[in-house]
Amino acid sequence: MLKKGEVFDVASKTIYWMIASVMIAVILLAFSLILVKYKNNLTYVSPKLEASLIAMRFTNIPECFAYEDPETDRVYPGIIDLSKFNPEQMEKCYKTSSAKEINFKLRLENKGIEVITDKYYNNPAQNNIGAAQGPFLLPLKVMVKDYNTVSEDTLHFEVQLKI
Amino acid sequence: MKRGESVLLMIFELLAVVVIILITISIAKAFSSDEGINKIKISQDLGMMVNLLAGIPDNSLVKYPYDVSKYTILLDSEKVVVKTDEDQNFVRSTYRFILPEGYIADGFISQKANICFKKENTKENKRIALLEC
């Protein structure tokens, strides 16, 4: 049987270790979080960069909206074929499987036509990131081919980042 | 408390402290090694290069400007994976991308210093290949 002083000794050790183990757990957790944050900072890629690299395809390749001469098969980057500027072509060009991917809304200013990717949700909170500094991606001057006419237009991009 | 018990408790306390220090050092060491970060950076670079190549309407050949001889790189039509030989887990070094319809991407490179992406763009064949160069 333990004496009075020994009981106090064991109890104080137990209390000490209970407090110490909680503090050690908190310190280890904080340490891990700092390291994870540091790693995320090191591997950060600007979403603007990612979005602009993807957006290149919309005006440059015939699988998206670029005009391709049916006789010569020559592709004209920067000229949008209006007959292709629709959701079906967008699905062939950039079909996202979830909202975790970057989604787009494209708008031809003069023609007033919009095309969106299949997981684009009109989410103003997302789209207004950096709105004070201007649009997320700069609008692009393009030519639009509609049957036999070619006209100037401006292509606007709205970007929905990974939700 | 007997003297033996007190010594035993002290040994246990010392062991606990040593274990905690070892855990902390091993976590820090794992993070400080460049490999994990490098793998993620390389997969991001390569994935974005694929996105870029998908947006170019012609044939192209692009060299990745860094030595990747420590890594094994796997490219398919949905993702690029970078790993070292010791790795079991692919998850943290995968970059996913979306190719236009009709495009394929493929290639496997293991421990080669110089790698290239080659885009073949014909009416029948639209392919982005990962090659040694």
Side-chain angles (χ1 to χ4, degrees):
Chain A
M1 190 145 175
L2 293 172
K3 291 178 187 170
K4 201 173 181 181
E6 289 171 345
V7 170
F8 178 75
D9 195 25
V10 171
S12 66
K13 280 274 181 190
T14 310
I15 292 165
Y16 166 78
W17 274 105
M18 277 169 68
I19 295 168
S21 56
V22 169
M23 285 180 70
I24 288 164
V26 168
I27 289 167
L28 281 179
L29 193 68
F31 183 59
S32 305
L33 288 175
I34 289 167
L35 288 176
V36 167
K37 196 179 170 200
Y38 174 67
K39 191 174 188 175
N40 287 341
N41 285 343
L42 281 179
T43 57
Y44 174 78
V45 175
S46 159
K48 275 194 185 188
L49 174 65
E50 282 188 283
S52 59
L53 289 174
I54 295 168
M56 277 182 66
R57 68 179 66 179
F58 296 129
T59 54
N60 285 347
I61 61 170
E63 290 77 16
C64 293
F65 309 115
Y67 173 68
E68 183 178 30
D69 191 323
E71 289 174 11
T72 61
D73 290 339
R74 183 181 164 188
V75 180
Y76 292 83
I79 300 183
I80 287 178
D81 186 344
L82 199 64
S83 65
K84 287 200 228 169
F85 200 73
N86 53 49
E88 292 77 32
Q89 188 69 21
M90 181 59 106
E91 283 228 340
K92 291 179 186 172
C93 168
Y94 186 72
K95 187 176 175 13
T96 52
S97 55
S98 78
K100 286 182 180 173
E101 280 141 346
I102 298 176
N103 278 270
F104 294 87
K105 179 162 95 174
L106 310 184
R107 181 169 56 87
L108 282 170
E109 187 179 289
N110 294 341
K111 297 285 179 192
I113 304 172
E114 290 179 351
V115 177
I116 60 171
T117 52
D118 53 346
K119 297 291 184 294
Y120 182 90
Y121 307 112
N122 195 7
N123 185 346
Q126 272 277 330
N127 297 335
N128 284 339
I129 291 172
Q133 291 86 42
F136 192 76
L137 288 187
L138 289 176
L140 200 63
K141 289 281 179 199
V142 291
M143 304 297 282
V144 177
K145 184 165 190 330
D146 186 12
Y147 296 104
N148 291 325
T149 60
V150 179
S151 56
E152 272 190 28
D153 212 321
T154 308
L155 183 64
H156 293 269
F157 301 92
E158 280 187 33
V159 181
Q160 175 186 284
L161 298 178
K162 300 162 188 182
I163 296 177
Chain B
M1 190 180 281
K2 290 174 187 169
R3 175 173 279 188
E5 286 173 359
S6 176
V7 170
L8 204 66
L9 198 60
M10 206 167 95
I11 290 171
F12 167 74
E13 286 170 0
L14 282 173
L15 271 176
V17 169
V18 168
V19 166
I20 290 160
I21 290 170
L22 284 178
I23 289 171
T24 314
I25 289 171
S26 71
I27 293 171
K29 205 175 167 187
F31 270 83
S32 67
S33 76
D34 286 337
E35 295 313 313
I37 305 284
N38 277 348
K39 277 188 294 181
I40 295 170
K41 297 298 278 182
I42 292 168
S43 66
Q44 286 171 339
D45 286 348
L46 298 179
M48 286 191 285
M49 282 171 82
V50 172
N51 269 333
L52 181 69
L53 285 170
I56 295 173
D58 212 337
N59 297 322
S60 19
L61 182 69
V62 188
K63 185 183 173 193
Y64 184 63
Y66 299 107
D67 181 346
V68 288
S69 54
K70 285 184 195 167
Y71 307 99
T72 297
I73 300 163
L74 174 69
L75 175 72
D76 66 28
S77 295
E78 292 179 345
K79 63 187 181 301
V80 60
V81 177
V82 179
K83 67 176 212 100
T84 54
D85 274 355
E86 302 84 50
D87 280 344
Q88 299 298 319
N89 186 3
F90 275 43
V91 176
R92 291 305 297 271
S93 51
T94 300
Y95 187 95
R96 295 189 171 274
F97 48 79
I98 299 166
L99 290 178
E101 195 176 273
Y103 274 68
I104 56 165
D106 59 1
F108 177 80
I109 292 282
S110 187
Q111 294 171 333
K112 307 286 182 196
N114 299 309
I115 59 166
C116 285
F117 279 115
K118 186 180 181 188
K119 182 180 179 185
E120 293 166 349
N121 194 57
T122 60
K123 203 77 180 163
E124 306 77 34
N125 185 23
K126 295 183 187 302
R127 176 171 176 243
I128 297 168
L130 176 68
L131 310 165
E132 186 189 359
C133 61

